[in-house]
Amino acid sequence: MAEAHTDAPSKDDEMRLTEAEIAVHWKEEEYFHPIPKFIGQANLTDPSIVERFSEKNFPECFREYADLLSWDKYWTTTLDSSNAPFWKWFVGGKLNVSYNCVDRHLEKYGNKAAILWVSEDESEPVVAITFQELYARVNEMAAVLRDFCGLKTGDRVTIHMPMVPELPVTMLACARLGVIHSVVFGGFSGEACGARIVDSGSRVLISMDGYYRSGKVIDHKVAADIAVKKAEAEGTKVEKVLIWRRFREKSASSTPLVEGRDFIVDELLKKHAGARVAPVSMPAEAPLFLMYTSGSTGKPKGVQHSTGGYLSYVTAASKFIQDIHPTDIYWCMADIGWITGHSFIVYGPLALAATTVMYEGVPTHPDAGRPWRIAERLNVNIFHTSPTAIRMLRKLGPDEPKKYNLRFKCMTTVGEPIEPEAWLWYYRTVGRSQASITDTWWLTETGGFLCSTKPAIDPMKPGSTGPPMPGIYPIIFDENGKEIPPGSSKAGNICIRNPWPGIMQTIWGDPERFVRQYYGKYNKDKNSKDWRDWPWLAGDGALIGKDGYIRILGRIDDVINVAGHRLGTKELESACLTVPEVAEAAVVPIVDPERGRVPEVYIALKPGIKADQAVADKVTKAIETEIGKIARPRTVRIVPDMPKTRSGKIMRRVLASISNSMDYGDITTLANPEVVEQIRVQVQGAGPVEKKAGPEDIRRFGETT
Ligand code: WT7
């Protein structure tokens, strides 16, 4: 047997191979069909779209999407692949995103609500912002950014804000100037924000003093101070910090302003009242924003999205899959700090002149009827949320939706695979068996949906995302690049064979990592200019059924999907290692009925350190500080040693099996097999293994050896 430190395939690789191709016992669910009333009003009812977007019409088919936008200058080349895999879409074209999302609607819809904002505090009235008012605010904010902050096209700005209308106003103001925004999820810690400031090279941070979360006002300004300090320690000086106020009259934070650095936005806006800033005409391939997401190393990567390609793609996805018309009241319950919020709260819906609803707080505050009360009151007819939220609302208030007059015509689920049971509750109890459900599979990297049923055309199948989107050609490969054909009931690595307009452009500041991570595995010729040679690796295990419907099993890399949020195991582990007593850390996902996956932490202590609860608590605290509460582990387990390969790699898979009460398989090739049984007894007790998770779950355990 080859030792693991050589390049020859080891026993570990063999184990990985069988996992990639694990047979999946996929119970076929019945189909559900869209109702005639929905079909009668839908944007997309012509099934010939599949043919129009078939490979023989690629890439010109995407002209149809780009034509949904208003261009200052029409493009000359639809897809330029001369610098593959750095694709350029709609080359030669020029446009402005804020013009497309705001200005162009003024004539027809100026008086209509663009944003309906709901405070978490139920006694605060709903705020309606018309397109005309949005226009005024975006212009004034753009004037502040340009004239007060001195920002210009191509500069980066970090935005660390909660769910308030000032967030999309700030994003659109950036877009008006061609300034690249990097929105950091408001729940992330100051340290996490600081690291993203450094990576993006932002010299301006835009934040807020506070916001409501679970009935309490959170002091958010504190995080801005920490972020700036962290950035400065790493060599990036933040010159200005702009602070929005949650309450106009008073500060929601007791943290003082730093003289000469911190500024209250409302005061700056007064000086620019009535300002108008001409939208900067941007090349289609100019970057619009960065969105940091977790990868397989500790460092989050800045996913860079384009202007023309991205906006065309999310506009089309919003129109055809979410069935958004300007007359609809659309509510996506995600946070704008994630890609879902960028694409499907802000850019897609506003490009279509829809009314987009924003909710500040926790869906179950003060009770599990809250979302349905909001939907009833605002007359929401399109709803968009995650399986985690669905499971939680179902658990806490299974009959709550029945108490309200709901009239959803279509509903989306996104972020994780959804169990048929949760799907059926969503369909029957929330949707009254009237709404078409779209289970949309995609990633931060893809800008918009990759797979989904077309809501007026395709039947729905609970648990399956459905067929690929028009113009998306998926393929499932095994570890060796051999195709696993549809209907073979084996899973593999899902790739998209072709580029599409919404695909990320690169990883900010690290183009090599971009090529390596997404194309390294299956590209055979690095010099090829032919897109057919560049299958894009999504990082999910998946299989295609006989009917062409795709079922996503989950991440294959070192990423844990917690409540629809993606966390890198390496990021968590490096947070653990900030605790001086910790020698080694391994993080594994455990199956959780509500949150999908939650992290469980294993640590080994430095010699001479006593294993006690205080150390475990320190580790939990470190994770909350470095990343945020969302990453809080279920348990921190102190073990004598980590199971390791002979080359010293921690076998996370073995730990994951133990945590999930599964058989840990063959461990004879480990350097220290005896420790495995010791850990098992520590975690599960002395009895025999109790099997809880099913075979497909193995696939979701984030292979990290
Ligand atoms: C990962 C991407 C892009 C939306 C929010 C998450 C998982 C996403 C589905 C779905 C099964 C899904 C995948 C993917 N995922 N949608 N409909 N069914 N799994 O974005 O943070 O970039 O995470 O979320 O595992 O790779 P993200």
Side-chain angles (χ1 to χ4, degrees):
M1 154 123 8
E3 287 291 322
H5 59 256
T6 69
D7 280 342
S10 67
K11 183 80 181 175
D12 298 346
D13 292 326
E14 281 166 37
M15 280 161 76
R16 195 183 332 219
L17 192 99
T18 29
E19 263 191 31
E21 292 173 60
I22 189 161
V24 176
H25 307 283
W26 182 1
K27 187 175 142 279
E28 283 294 332
E29 297 288 330
E30 61 173 313
Y31 291 110
F32 291 77
H33 295 269
I35 63 165
K37 187 174 164 209
F38 176 75
I39 299 170
Q41 59 79 61
N43 282 324
L44 178 61
T45 51
D46 178 2
S48 78
I49 189 161
V50 175
E51 168 64 20
R52 291 203 306 283
F53 279 76
S54 66
E55 211 168 323
K56 68 175 194 300
N57 297 323
F58 181 88
E60 294 309 318
C61 50
F62 283 111
R63 182 173 289 265
E64 221 177 283
Y65 286 9
D67 282 343
L68 297 172
L69 305 181
S70 305
W71 294 79
D72 301 333
K73 188 166 166 272
Y74 213 61
W75 68 91
T76 45
T77 310
T78 304
L79 171 64
D80 173 359
S81 34
S82 60
N83 188 25
F86 299 91
W87 320 108
K88 289 195 178 122
W89 283 91
F90 311 126
V91 184
K94 286 189 146 187
L95 75 166
N96 181 278
V97 168
S98 91
Y99 176 87
N100 271 276
C101 292
V102 186
D103 305 37
R104 68 165 173 160
H105 305 316
L106 293 179
E107 202 182 309
K108 229 169 149 183
Y109 301 113
N111 218 4
K112 192 187 87 102
I115 298 173
L116 290 175
W117 177 76
V118 183
S119 164
E120 191 192 70
D121 176 0
E122 235 171 332
S123 68
E124 255 190 84
V126 170
V127 173
I129 299 174
T130 62
F131 275 97
Q132 177 61 38
E133 173 65 11
L134 183 61
Y135 172 76
R137 292 199 194 186
V138 168
N139 272 278
E140 289 165 352
M141 187 58 184
V144 167
L145 297 179
R146 186 188 62 187
D147 302 338
F148 179 73
C149 300
L151 290 165
K152 51 180 194 324
T153 301
D155 288 346
R156 279 84 52 210
V157 164
T158 297
I159 305 175
H160 191 212
M161 287 177 67
M163 284 291 285
V164 288
E166 289 78 7
L167 174 52
V169 165
T170 307
M171 292 160 72
L172 289 163
C174 289
R176 199 163 188 86
L177 301 170
V179 167
I180 303 167
H181 60 68
S182 164
V183 177
V184 176
F185 171 55
F188 272 150
S189 66
E191 275 88 356
C193 180
R196 287 153 175 81
I197 290 175
V198 173
D199 192 79
S200 62
S202 303
R203 43 188 192 84
V204 174
L205 167 65
I206 305 177
S207 187
M208 190 156 204
D209 56 1
Y211 60 97
Y212 276 112
R213 193 86 196 151
S214 298
K216 288 197 293 285
V217 178
I218 308 268
D219 183 344
H220 191 61
K221 162 71 166 72
V222 177
D225 290 355
I226 297 171
V228 171
K229 206 166 137 215
K230 159 106 179 171
E232 275 181 10
E234 293 187 14
T236 301
K237 180 155 172 53
V238 177
E239 291 162 13
K240 289 190 168 71
V241 179
L242 270 48
I243 308 283
W244 287 96
R245 274 197 159 172
R246 174 60 179 78
F247 308 106
R248 205 145 274 268
E249 314 311 331
K250 55 170 192 214
S251 177
S253 156
S254 52
T255 313
L257 297 183
V258 174
E259 180 73 31
R261 187 199 75 183
D262 298 352
F263 303 90
I264 300 293
V265 182
D266 288 329
E267 282 163 17
L268 302 173
L269 284 170
K270 275 188 213 145
K271 297 185 194 129
H272 295 275
R276 295 293 176 261
V277 173
V280 178
S281 200
M282 298 297 294
E285 70 275 23
L288 175 64
F289 66 84
L290 307 179
M291 165 62 59
Y292 282 86
T293 189
S294 303
S296 45
T297 69
K299 194 167 169 266
K301 53 192 179 203
V303 172
Q304 178 183 317
H305 279 292
S306 75
T307 298
Y310 170 81
L311 193 66
S312 325
Y313 199 71
V314 298
T315 305
S318 300
K319 178 163 183 161
F320 300 134
I321 303 301
Q322 307 231 80
D323 198 48
I324 296 180
H325 304 65
T327 44
D328 290 322
I329 312 286
Y330 165 84
W331 182 18
C332 170
M333 216 167 59
D335 193 290
I336 292 176
W338 307 108
I339 190 74
T340 304
H342 277 51
S343 300
F344 298 111
I345 297 177
V346 181
Y347 290 120
L350 291 179
L352 293 171
T355 297
T356 184
V357 175
M358 281 178 74
Y359 172 56
E360 176 181 35
V362 177
T364 51
H365 183 84
D367 57 72
R370 187 72 195 276
W372 320 127
R373 270 199 303 286
I374 293 171
E376 181 187 73
R377 184 177 179 93
L378 302 182
N379 207 17
V380 174
N381 67 338
I382 309 176
F383 188 64
H384 185 155
T385 192
S386 64
T388 292
I390 296 168
R391 287 191 293 258
M392 193 168 65
L393 291 165
R394 176 172 178 245
K395 184 181 161 204
L396 298 179
D399 297 320
E400 283 297 315
K402 294 182 190 149
K403 298 185 190 158
Y404 301 93
N405 181 19
L406 302 178
R407 54 139 201 159
F408 300 125
K409 65 166 181 172
C410 55
M411 308 195 300
T412 298
T413 149
V414 64
E416 304 148 79
I418 183 166
E419 304 75 6
E421 224 180 82
W423 191 99
L424 287 170
W425 180 78
Y426 196 37
Y427 180 74
R428 291 189 180 129
T429 308
V430 181
R432 317 287 207 243
S433 306
Q434 304 284 300
S436 283
I437 294 187
T438 47
D439 179 344
T440 58
W441 170 68
W442 59 297
L443 293 82
T444 303
E445 290 87 335
T446 72
F449 309 148
L450 290 177
C451 287
S452 170
T453 48
K454 295 171 275 305
I457 298 176
D458 303 320
M460 306 154 240
K461 194 161 76 172
S464 287
T465 166
M469 286 278 288
I472 299 292
Y473 319 130
I475 187 164
I476 314 267
F477 283 128
D478 70 9
E479 285 298 313
N480 306 313
K482 204 166 141 275
E483 181 179 358
I484 300 179
S488 60
S489 77
K490 263 189 179 176
N493 298 325
I494 186 164
C495 293
I496 309 299
R497 288 195 291 115
N498 61 304
W500 63 97
I503 192 173
M504 69 187 288
Q505 297 182 294
T506 186
I507 294 175
W508 180 259
D510 203 347
E512 285 93 39
R513 185 175 173 196
F514 168 72
V515 178
R516 196 172 60 239
Q517 172 143 10
Y518 301 104
Y519 299 99
K521 200 173 175 86
Y522 294 119
N523 164 262
K524 292 196 187 78
D525 174 9
K526 279 200 163 5
N527 299 315
S528 172
K529 308 279 173 237
D530 186 344
W531 61 263
R532 290 168 196 81
D533 290 325
W534 295 92
W536 181 83
L537 177 75
D540 278 312
L543 70 163
I544 309 186
K546 278 193 207 68
D547 55 4
Y549 278 36
I550 291 172
R551 186 173 190 192
I552 302 295
L553 303 175
R555 305 290 310 173
I556 55 171
D557 52 20
D558 308 12
V559 164
I560 305 179
N561 193 333
V562 183
H565 300 154
R566 211 162 131 188
L567 303 168
T569 47
K570 294 269 165 43
E571 272 170 89
L572 284 144
E573 288 164 11
S574 38
C576 299
L577 294 177
T578 64
V579 176
E581 291 87 343
V582 174
E584 279 182 308
V587 176
V588 299
I590 50 177
V591 178
D592 180 272
E594 263 87 53
R595 294 160 68 78
R597 298 289 175 273
V598 288
E600 178 153 274
V601 172
Y602 285 86
I603 51 172
L605 300 177
K606 288 180 183 157
I609 307 272
K610 199 169 140 265
D612 59 12
Q613 191 55 37
V615 185
D617 292 347
K618 263 181 152 177
V619 168
T620 303
K621 187 91 195 76
I623 290 176
E624 287 181 8
T625 313
E626 297 293 316
I627 299 162
K629 285 210 165 56
I630 183 146
R632 194 198 327 237
R634 163 77 50 90
T635 329
V636 176
R637 298 189 186 279
I638 305 174
V639 292
D641 195 3
M642 298 290 169
K644 286 191 196 122
T645 64
R646 288 178 210 176
S647 61
K649 284 192 276 175
I650 298 176
M651 291 292 284
R652 291 180 186 76
R653 185 180 49 228
V654 171
L655 296 172
S657 305
I658 293 173
S659 286
N660 289 281
S661 306
M662 290 171 61
D663 195 340
Y664 47 69
D666 182 3
I667 51 161
T668 50
T669 58
L670 295 193
N672 52 353
E674 69 291 345
V675 81
V676 174
E677 188 53 22
Q678 233 175 307
I679 296 174
R680 190 190 74 75
V681 172
Q682 182 185 336
V683 174
Q684 300 173 355
V689 179
E690 181 201 338
K691 244 185 142 196
K692 281 193 196 131
E696 332 161 11
D697 286 313
I698 302 173
R699 201 67 200 93
R700 302 188 195 161
F701 284 162
E703 167 73 359
T704 61
T705 56

